[in-house]
Amino acid sequence: MAAERLIVVGGDAAGMSAASQARRRRSEKDLEIIAFERSPHTSYSACGLPYLAGGIIESEESLVVRSPQEFREKQSIDARVRHEVLSIDLENRRVVVRDLQSGRDQDEPFDLLMVATGTEPIRPPIERIDAQGVFGLSTLQSGIELRRALDTWKPKRAVVVGGGYIGLETAEAMIQRNVSTTLVEADSQPMNSLDTDMGEHVADALRKAGVEVVLGEKVEGLEVSRGRVSSVVTSRRTLTADIVVLGLGTRPQVEPAATSGLRLGSTGAIWVDDHMRTSREGIWAAGDCAETMNRITSKTVNFHLGTIANKMGRVAGTNIGGGDVSFPGVVGTAITKFGDLEIARTGLSSKEAESEGLDFVATSTRSTNKAGYYPGSQRVHLKVLAERPGGRLLGAQIVGGQGAGKRIDVFATALWNRMNVEDMINMDLSYVPPLSSLWDPVLIAARNALDELG
Amino acid sequence: MAAERLIVVGGDAAGMSAASQARRRRSEKDLEIIAFERSPHTSYSACGLPYLAGGIIESEESLVVRSPQEFREKQSIDARVRHEVLSIDLENRRVVVRDLQSGRDQDEPFDLLMVATGTEPIRPPIERIDAQGVFGLSTLQSGIELRRALDTWKPKRAVVVGGGYIGLETAEAMIQRNVSTTLVEADSQPMNSLDTDMGEHVADALRKAGVEVVLGEKVEGLEVSRGRVSSVVTSRRTLTADIVVLGLGTRPQVEPAATSGLRLGSTGAIWVDDHMRTSREGIWAAGDCAETMNRITSKTVNFHLGTIANKMGRVAGTNIGGGDVSFPGVVGTAITKFGDLEIARTGLSSKEAESEGLDFVATSTRSTNKAGYYPGSQRVHLKVLAERPGGRLLGAQIVGGQGAGKRIDVFATALWNRMNVEDMINMDLSYVPPLSSLWDPVLIAARNALDELG
């Protein structure tokens, strides 16, 4: 028997990163590691699900980074899928786990606990939401089911509910499968984490690709015919649909942590310090279910992104293994793609900067992804937010052609270093005509923001 | 008559950027601006020349950012092409200018002088270098001539001399025109501003594309048959060629500034301070002919890149116009592309770091440009140099598939901010499977360097 036992609640990005890092630093004899995962899969790429559904990625196995068997054989981590942790007893340091196949509950003691319960999809409180033909895209299982439905039913009309990242990527997947698609978004723009004008560029691209875009309408109900969904009813119209995909976002899955008495933060997610320690000694949390710090506002935030979950999990695992590292927080970077259009953001949007009470300029710039004269050069729209006065970079958004999106990382790095736009305008960025304009769009956008600051 | 007169020597990137900025701040009545340019063109994209030669860019006009006529009409800048400034008299503040068409010399007084004479191509001291069929690619005129030769002669065998940026881009152009091509490089690797292992990846790509790569051999002579070049003789072999392109790099064109008495710096280029002021009051210099500061070593350097020339020109022009801005220096970023392969560098290479006497690790990393499971995912090789101990980022190199190259800008931004690799590993970079691996290659490379630092 090992000296100590670590139980990991949730076997995906954060949980298994933590388990792996802990194992690297502590041997099997020193630390037994058991991970319980409710779904049938460990460590998979949730961001790959729309591409699996769309058929771009052929096999579901390719999305699995490491299977339970691999965890067992390569790292001596006992990963048990289809096991759900129902409750945590912090006092007696035990969890109750249900084996979802047999239905049996079991009591398991732990010395250390790692909470990585991730998220649960937001489902609108409407009737018949559980009807056949209504899908989500939150777990690998849900991706497999959507894929299977598309393959076998061959639906003709899809309604995608929600115009965020998952909504957009799902719409792209539907288009690729020649399913005629309507995207419904309650807000007045798709991608409402972007400023209005940037959201309009996204809406344009959706429409050009043949997606019907319905904005400012809430889904109020579903109609069912012969046991399967047949239409989506919004506040203003009824949309025929033989398949419906919900992409309404996610909320942190804080149970059973919250009930057990672990402190939640102001965002509603599990409170952790920069070492991923929760409010109770020896209990750690990381990933989508936990809070982190926004480096721009210095306030706690709760993001649901695989990149952040992996990083937080790594930090937790290193510390569980006896290390001493901290997670430096985030700046709010995200990216997606719709067809040829790349869409990215980092830092604060205008709405967010306003709600922080900041005085700022938000400057729009139009540029190109290659030298203007180079064949195939495509438009790039940028938006840069800078604080007034002083010019501290607050955020950036990019919507544009090939290669435009990843330029957000330059802004993210600039934000990471608290740069002013004035410090950015002469940065030594790379240029060759097939890959950039002479003044990289990032530099032009920073300069325009500086000009607007006056 | 205007209150003062500015003469600009050299009508390309730095010179015309300076002229434009000066004009923005000072009216026609206040400042007369005359620019003399030896070639027949102003403000063109020299970096576009290989693509013009290769036929990717159809018309030479598209490379001209602004013509003399446009300068005159839109900005009241008197840009005179085919005019060469032969000498500068600093004492009496006059220049002697030759009208290259009429052959007449003229004496022109100035109050302010902007020196932007750019570079001259390095030509090896071998016989018959001026033979028909031997081309360079330094001016728009030379690009037009090469293009015309390819169009009319339809050469079958090309030898490209030099394996740097221009050499690589020219080889690509030749391949695109179905000219069978040999690249000769005196060094043991192409792209010798990269580390050896990175250079090997480039050599591999050249060979795979069908380019014969001859390394470690100097060109010693040319053979001519019926008045036109027929072969290239290296230290070890004779290569048949009906067209030869020289891409041996450039040196700063410091005449007539040097003879006039303007101070040169240790690099051999014109000495300037961070405001682009030369050693004499009211005389400015910028661009390829002038020095700047390397922000990593804090030493003066002389780079020949359009991006830097434009930025320096802008700073000079703003100051000439009465502003007070400084140029913050460079980190040594450059990029190119050969076929699908993107090649980029920033900061110091291992050779450069060694010659600075630095103790450092140089860590190689292999990653992918998209999620590994995403179709079309391509390999990305990275190299990260970090100082020992402490881990200060010293440089980075990237050789890889689509989207790999521009990631150098993240390293450039990190260098700009004097980041340590440890500060980089958790940076909030963007991720979506079609555009990145979950841990962006930049983060993996930084982490590997940190691991190697121990």
Side-chain angles (χ1 to χ4, degrees), chain A residues 17 24 45 47-49 51 56-57 62-63 169 172 176 303 305-308 310-312 314-315 325-337 342 344 346 371 373-375 402-403 405-410 412-414 416-417 419 422-440 443 447 451, chain B residues 17 24 45 47-49 51 56-57 62-63 169 172 176 303 305-308 310-312 314-315 325-337 342 344 346 373-375 402-403 405-410 412-414 416-417 419 422-441 443 447 451:
Chain A
S17 290
R24 278 188 177 215
S45 168
C47 304
L49 297 177
Y51 308 102
I56 289 180
I57 293 162
S62 65
L63 291 189
E169 291 160 11
E172 185 185 36
Q176 268 152 349
F303 283 111
L305 287 169
T307 48
I308 299 174
N310 268 280
K311 286 172 194 148
M312 290 172 81
R314 223 182 129 82
V315 167
V325 293
S326 59
F327 183 68
V330 300
V331 293
T333 311
I335 192 170
T336 190
K337 187 181 95 56
E342 300 178 3
T346 189
Y373 57 76
Y374 198 88
Q402 193 177 79
K406 282 295 275 179
R407 279 171 162 96
I408 205 70
D409 291 348
V410 176
T413 307
W416 197 264
N417 289 286
M419 288 183 86
E422 190 171 359
D423 303 328
M424 292 182 70
I425 60 169
N426 282 310
M427 283 203 310
D428 194 4
L429 304 187
S430 59
Y431 161 60
V432 69
L435 301 176
S436 181
S437 49
L438 185 132
W439 290 88
D440 190 274
L443 302 179
R447 196 208 291 157
D451 286 349
Chain B
S17 289
R24 278 189 179 215
S45 167
C47 303
L49 296 178
Y51 309 102
I56 289 179
I57 294 161
S62 65
L63 291 189
E169 291 160 11
E172 185 186 37
Q176 269 154 348
F303 282 112
L305 287 169
T307 47
I308 300 174
N310 267 280
K311 285 170 194 149
M312 290 171 81
R314 223 182 130 82
V315 166
V325 294
S326 58
F327 183 67
V330 299
V331 293
T333 312
I335 193 170
T336 189
K337 188 181 93 61
E342 301 179 2
T346 189
Y373 57 76
Y374 198 88
Q402 195 177 78
K406 283 294 277 178
R407 278 171 164 97
I408 206 70
D409 291 347
V410 176
T413 306
W416 197 264
N417 289 285
M419 289 183 85
E422 190 171 1
D423 302 328
M424 291 182 70
I425 61 169
N426 282 310
M427 283 202 310
D428 195 4
L429 303 188
S430 59
Y431 161 60
V432 69
L435 301 176
S436 181
S437 50
L438 185 131
W439 291 87
D440 189 274
L443 302 178
R447 196 207 292 155
D451 286 349

Side-chain angles (χ1 to χ4, degrees), chain A residues 180-363:
Chain A
S180 100
T181 302
T182 303
L183 185 106
V184 183
E185 164 61 49
D187 206 325
S188 57
Q189 66 175 85
M191 297 301 285
N192 63 14
S193 63
L194 301 181
D195 281 16
T196 313
D197 54 336
M198 300 299 275
E200 270 166 24
H201 299 309
V202 176
D204 286 348
L206 282 161
R207 289 192 187 104
K208 262 184 206 149
V211 175
E212 183 187 13
V213 181
V214 174
L215 300 173
E217 297 183 26
K218 252 191 146 146
V219 170
E220 299 189 334
L222 296 173
E223 288 174 355
V224 171
S225 162
R226 272 174 277 161
R228 200 187 281 179
V229 71
S230 61
S231 54
V232 173
V233 182
T234 76
S235 36
R236 283 210 231 142
R237 72 191 83 192
T238 298
L239 298 156
T240 314
D242 39 17
I243 193 163
V244 174
V245 183
L246 302 174
L248 290 164
T250 45
R251 62 170 70 91
Q253 174 60 271
V254 294
E255 293 303 343
T259 303
S260 78
L262 284 181
R263 180 181 160 193
L264 301 185
S266 58
T267 67
I270 299 169
W271 180 94
V272 287
D273 69 9
D274 66 356
H275 278 54
M276 307 293 108
R277 290 180 287 233
T278 67
S279 53
R280 290 292 281 261
E281 171 101 40
I283 317 282
W284 314 73
D288 298 354
C289 66
E291 290 190 328
T292 183
M293 194 196 64
N294 182 315
R295 290 170 63 92
I296 303 157
T297 61
S298 299
K299 291 183 182 166
T300 50
V301 285
N302 174 232
F303 283 111
H304 305 160
L305 287 169
T307 48
I308 299 174
N310 268 280
K311 286 172 194 148
M312 290 172 81
R314 223 182 129 82
V315 167
T318 304
N319 292 331
I320 290 170
D324 177 16
V325 293
S326 59
F327 183 68
V330 300
V331 293
T333 311
I335 192 170
T336 190
K337 187 181 95 56
F338 177 81
D340 273 351
L341 199 73
E342 300 178 3
I343 303 151
R345 56 151 285 157
T346 189
L348 307 179
S349 67
S350 287
K351 234 176 292 170
E352 290 163 338
E354 272 159 29
S355 81
E356 290 293 323
L358 293 166
D359 187 13
F360 64 98
V361 299
T363 311

Side-chain angles (χ1 to χ4, degrees), chain B residues 9 85-90 113 115 117 120 252-265 268-271 278-280 283 285 289:
Chain B
V9 189
V85 173
L86 300 177
S87 64
I88 305 168
D89 179 347
L90 296 176
L113 188 76
V115 180
T117 38
E120 50 179 350
Q253 175 59 271
V254 294
E255 293 302 345
T259 304
S260 78
L262 284 181
R263 179 179 160 196
L264 301 185
I270 300 169
W271 181 93
T278 67
S279 53
R280 291 291 282 261
I283 318 282
C289 65

Side-chain angles (χ1 to χ4, degrees), chain B residues 12 37-42 44-46 49 52-53 60-61 63-64 81-82 100 134-149:
Chain B
D12 198 10
E37 165 59 35
R38 193 164 54 170
S39 86
H41 306 96
T42 50
Y44 56 87
S45 167
L49 296 178
L52 176 68
E60 59 209 53
E61 283 82 29
L63 291 189
V64 176
V81 294
R82 311 214 57 187
L100 296 177
V134 182
F135 293 87
L137 257 185
S138 51
T139 60
L140 180 50
Q141 195 52 32
S142 65
I144 293 169
E145 282 162 16
L146 176 57
R147 164 76 169 266
R148 198 174 299 147

Side-chain angles (χ1 to χ4, degrees), chain B residues 235-248:
Chain B
S235 36
R236 284 210 228 142
R237 73 192 83 194
T238 299
L239 298 157
T240 314
D242 40 16
I243 193 163
V244 174
V245 183
L246 302 175
L248 290 165

Side-chain angles (χ1 to χ4, degrees), chain B residues 3 55 69 107 114 117-118 134 171 173 215 249 252 300 304 316 328 334 393 400 417 449:
Chain B
Q69 197 184 342
D107 201 68
M114 169 75 210
T117 38
V134 182
L215 299 173
T300 51
H304 304 162
L393 179 68
N417 289 285

